[in-house]
Amino acid sequence: MISLLMRTTFVLSLILSTYSWSAEIEEIVVTAEKRESALQDTPVAVSAVSRETIEVRGLDDFQQLQFMVPGLVFNEVADMAQMTMRGVGVDISEMSAEPGVALHVDGMYRGGLVSSAALMFDMERIEVLRGPQGTLFGRNSSGGSLNVVSRLPGEEPVFGVMALYGDYDRTRFEISGDAPIVPGKFAVRAAVSHDERDGYAKNRFTGREEDESEVTIAKLSAVISASDRLEIILRGEIYDSEVNGPPVVVTNDHPVAPLYLSTGNPGGILSAPGSCGPGVSCVDAFGLNLSPPGVWSDDPRNPYASGHFHSEREAYGFSAEVIWDVNDDVELKSISSYYEVEQNCDKVSIDGSSIDALVQGCLQKNDEWSQEFALSGSSGQIDWIAGVYYYESEMEEFWDYELPAFQATFEAIFGIFGGGPPLPTGSLALFGNKIDGSSTGVPFLQFNIFQDLTSIAVFGQTTYNFSDRLRGTVGLRWTEDEKDFGQTVVNNVGGQTCIGLDLNDDWSEVTGKVGLDYDVSDTTMIYGGVSSGFKSGGFNGGSCSNPFDPETLMGFELGSKSRFLDNSMQLNLAAFYYDYEDYQARLFINNAAIVENAADAVTYGFEAELLWLVTANFRVEGSLSLLSAEYEDFVSTDPLNPDVGMNCDATGLGCTQQLKGNDLLRAPEIKYNFSAEYDVGLANGDILTLRGEYSYTDEMYHTVFNNDFATQDDISMANFRVIWTPGGGRMEGVRVIAFIDNLTDE
């Protein structure tokens, strides 16, 4: 029910489903601590987005979710997600990268970055857990966890249809249904969704549309009640998507030392006066015929580029959840899952200009299995949970880069600076073969990696009820990750190469939680605690034999959850402080991500969430995030500006910069959202709902050096919705929604 962001859209949708309006704050049940509890009784910072909110706001991906909850920032690169929570995240756009914010779907961990960029539908709720989740959710949840809970079949037959049409020929259809095959014993739910739209951008160089999208998802679930104490839940999913774009935009021509090549200056250093004699450039001295400068547009909706990014993604998975009530006080749960995802991106020019400065192709695959057993129960004043976890993935990545526009430049550089004339056309074929053994005269870089990951964990958490109002919680988790890494990197431009490199390493860590929570009154709880998180180490795909260590995070948090005004107002507050060790700071060199474990960082902030039912037909809600996230002592060389800083080498390069005080990546200092909703009762019993939404995200950075060209300006987003719900028993279960997203077209 919502189009992608950053473009004004008008959409009309029709929904046929079970739905009812609420005149009071409904209690949301969450599983943030792997057992069901009311949101307001759960002593962690968690935001819960209900099915009602998902449907009204048309929520279908995490990009939209970031404008609804505090602390979360979503970025997408090449059809892969980079999620950041309170300044903790990931910056590598490769499937093998370990996220700092973990994604769990129906209790199952989804590895890699491609899954987090997928569209979603047929959801019961989304839980956003902020802060380290090192006890119960384990893998790579040092920044937090996003838990998606799918809808399950109910006890009554239900049929639902959603149809949407909007500008840019946006169409979306959803069909779902519940079928109780054997009432009370066996029920099935099936759902399918198809979503497609035209592109938001018009390429003025090729004349084609950019940013098109087409996604199809199908889900099937079944609930089997084998006995009063045994329940089995089976789930299956198929996903298929094809996206074209968004286009790459050149915001600043940036020649990089020592060759000073750029889209705007394909001749690089050869074009500089004095490169081949006093005041004489090599271009003039040798009469070189190099590529003309590229032309580009910095308008993302009107690019001027010879190529575009195109990606196809296929995925499927299935799971089995077995819940056995051993007795009235003890429950044993088993969750088994398998998920496979593959992404192919066409080999096309992606540099965002009129010349083919950077041509990219890719293939990424990930097969993952997981198994968890958890035993939980209550005994007297103690609530407890203990379990074991196993996760395994087999991953392959192939990245293929070519630089056709720089072929003549490299031939001239190799010849002239080798002491002779420019090399003949095609000579680069002698400087290195591709992975398949073929050769080419076009400058290229290829890397192919295979990674087998095995993770095992043992965890336990106990809550002791000192009294009816005071509780204490202690949890521990031991995790061991092992990675077998095979790597081949080849090129023909003089960079680092390796063929069939085999690497192996393992890391283990104990993480956990200690906390207290206290009921000040029947409607107010305060809590505080210390928790730790762990993100695995690994190996850089584009740089030979370049391992990096894990990073750890210690978090301190105080919070409160309250209801006021006869339970018509809900206010949740949280204050936190994080201390990093071995922060994995990422740099980019030759299209490869290089990780340095050289930095520590300190993060602290404050968050607030408000829900207020002002009257029976007027509702207000919003959230606020205040964040300070900065590096501590961190000295490094900027690969894009190696001549800036101090302690430079004899050539004036390799200069170092002190980055202490720089902001962490995608860590806006201020972030807030606000919405208001008003119901107008009509004479025939119909309800007309008017809803306005506004969000603001402060500026943030996409490099550790806080470069100006990698600064994201602040974002303001305004949306408007009109919802018609027929009354008087007419067309029961039908709603019609008309809305405009990104009203100001920012």
Side-chain angles (χ1 to χ4, degrees), residues 326-387:
V326 180
N327 55 45
D328 292 342
D329 299 318
V330 178
E331 177 188 272
L332 176 63
K333 179 181 291 188
S334 166
I335 302 179
S336 310
S337 73
Y338 173 81
Y339 191 73
E340 179 177 320
V341 59
E342 178 176 328
Q343 180 200 23
N344 288 275
C345 49
D346 291 350
K347 189 174 180 181
V348 293
S349 178
I350 64 164
D351 55 86
S353 77
S354 59
I355 62 175
D356 294 337
L358 179 62
V359 174
Q360 173 194 275
C362 77
L363 167 66
Q364 301 190 96
K365 298 175 61 178
N366 186 23
D367 299 344
E368 53 187 339
W369 305 263
S370 67
Q371 174 63 56
E372 179 174 283
F373 294 103
L375 190 67
S376 61
S378 299
S379 177
Q381 296 173 279
I382 299 176
D383 300 319
W384 54 271
I385 183 171

Side-chain angles (χ1 to χ4, degrees), residues 545-615:
S545 189
N546 181 218
F548 54 90
D549 295 328
E551 71 175 26
T552 57
L553 183 149
M554 185 69 71
F556 304 83
E557 185 159 329
L558 293 173
S560 67
K561 297 188 174 185
S562 304
R563 283 189 176 172
F564 308 98
L565 304 177
D566 294 327
N567 289 327
S568 65
M569 177 185 286
Q570 179 174 293
L571 178 64
N572 295 342
L573 308 174
F576 60 91
Y577 177 91
Y578 291 170
D579 183 20
Y580 275 104
E581 290 186 3
D582 294 324
Y583 180 91
Q584 296 172 354
R586 291 167 174 85
L587 315 176
F588 285 89
I589 302 176
N590 298 329
N591 297 306
I594 307 300
V595 176
E596 292 185 1
N597 286 107
D600 291 342
V602 170
T603 297
Y604 58 90
F606 170 81
E607 296 165 346
E609 292 181 282
L610 172 70
L611 172 59
W612 183 19
L613 305 185
V614 183
T615 66

